[in-house]
Amino acid sequence: MKVGIDAISFYTSPYYLDLKELAKVRNVDYDKYAIGIGQEKMAVAAPNEDVVTLAAHAAERLRTQVDFSQIDFLIFATETGIDQSKAAGIYVHHLLGLSSHCRVLECKQACYSTTGALQLALSRLKEFPDSKILLVASDIARYPLESPAEPTQGCGAVAMILSTNPRVMSIDRESGYFTQDVMDFWRPNHMREALVDGHQSTKIYLTLLEKTWDQYSEASGRNFLDHDHYCFHLPFSRMADKAHVRLAKSCGVLEPSGGHIEKTKVYARDMGNAYTASLYISLLSLLNLTQKDLQGKRVGFYSYGSGSVAEFFSGVIEKGYRDASFAQEHETMLKKREAISYETYEMYRGFDPYNEEMTAPTDSYFQFVGIEKEKRLYRKEHN
Ligand code: CAA
């Protein structure tokens, strides 16, 4: 029985800061951003957006392909938690009008949690093959102003329906996983911005790539060239180049084809890091932007979550992937976005809903409208 992704969509803020503008303000050579880290734009969440509204938008798009009344489990992966107790997924469950007979949980382990949740969900599907699981991953990447990590910020969400007989991708059984207690990136409860040792995090990312690959490769019997494409977690798009070369080299392949990863990086370059959603947005980038038919192609996935847990796994693209991965809608969404000034970027990222009057610059369908008596309030526009 095949299990995997039956439909998948992503969403990002309608606003972005062009990194040419940031380079000017920071007095940095733009090539460092465009070439050195491989980033051109950074999606910036407006005051009336948060992980709930981003996730609800990503999931809403799936409604045209999936009967929402059948969803019996909603898992929300994030490292931009909005509450210590209540799962962000409950707000999404409400905004989407899902059945009350639906479990809701929030998952955390930095950028890895979506993959951990995916694996747990797939095991459940093997026992309950009629189940339909909505997995959403949503984050706003925020680092201190003027820090080296600043140009890698971004925001976005991915939503996928997991089921048996999936139309987009069946996930292979074998995987390799690895946990190591390190302080490469973390965000204490009282802080809005992540702390990161950037160079150490990159090193650990690559070390764990080899360790997870070794276990995966031994379990599956597959080698480097058995995969047509590779999706790597993308904190910035150039990370894929580093990971691809490192993995190829450790497998004895000296000149790996750039075609393995070229299309997987395009969306990330255009919007920045979306933490838990990034790996799966790179899959969408591959599916949406590749002209030739991808049916039957095997993709290797590397998921890395600082702290740290990593996993290498793979999947095979199924024949219905074009209908259930929304290429046209994603292209339109990205084209319609608006560039904001550096001043607006600072204002949006610094917005404090506890102490500032809400400004609502977007007329997005799902909106965060503020906090009253410590309760978060959301609105669904009726158009
Ligand atoms: N033209 C072209 N290239 C240039 C350049 C120029 N003018 N100036 C510098 N470069 C190149 C450098 O040579 C370097 O290339 P290599 O990586 O090949 O050596 C690259 O640009 C970056 O330059 P620096 O190393 O000097 O950059 P930095 O120290 O200022 O910041 C960073 C880079 C450490 C990645 C920083 O952006 C950061 O801290 N990012 C956040 C942490 C992160 O993303 N870690 C990744 C692994 S952890 C993870 O994956 C989880 C997650 O999502 C966060």
Side-chain angles (χ1 to χ4, degrees), residues 193-235:
E193 294 155 345
L195 299 168
V196 59
D197 181 340
H199 290 285
Q200 191 204 8
S201 69
T202 306
K203 236 192 225 163
I204 297 167
Y205 174 116
L206 293 172
T207 305
L208 267 53
L209 169 60
E210 289 181 340
K211 293 196 184 295
T212 55
W213 165 266
D214 287 347
Q215 189 187 17
Y216 161 81
S217 171
E218 194 181 330
S220 66
R222 291 183 202 109
N223 63 39
F224 186 80
L225 295 173
D226 289 327
H227 303 82
D228 301 286
H229 297 281
Y230 285 94
C231 288
F232 296 100
H233 167 58
L234 293 179

Side-chain angles (χ1 to χ4, degrees), residues 27 55 66 69 77-78 86 100 118-119 126 175 188 202 217 234 240 298 303 306 313 327 338 351:
N27 199 21
V66 178
S69 70
T78 187
K86 180 167 175 164
S100 302
L118 174 81
Q119 296 292 7
K126 288 172 191 156
S175 72
T202 306
S217 171
L234 293 179
R298 176 165 271 114
S303 178
S306 290
F313 64 102
E338 188 186 313
F351 176 73

Side-chain angles (χ1 to χ4, degrees), residues 244-311:
H244 185 229
V245 166
R246 176 74 163 257
L247 185 61
K249 199 169 162 205
S250 83
C251 295
V253 176
L254 296 183
E255 286 186 21
S257 158
H260 284 149
I261 55 168
E262 189 195 339
K263 299 288 185 200
T264 69
K265 299 182 286 182
V266 180
Y267 286 162
R269 198 176 168 83
D270 211 22
M271 57 179 276
N273 198 353
Y275 292 157
T276 49
S278 289
L279 175 63
Y280 299 89
I281 293 175
S282 84
L283 169 62
L284 277 165
S285 192
L286 171 70
L287 298 177
N288 291 170
L289 303 176
T290 305
Q291 295 294 322
K292 68 173 197 258
D293 186 15
L294 290 172
Q295 185 191 344
K297 301 291 183 202
R298 176 165 271 114
V299 182
F301 290 89
Y302 177 58
S303 178
Y304 177 76
S306 290
S308 60
V309 182
E311 181 156 349

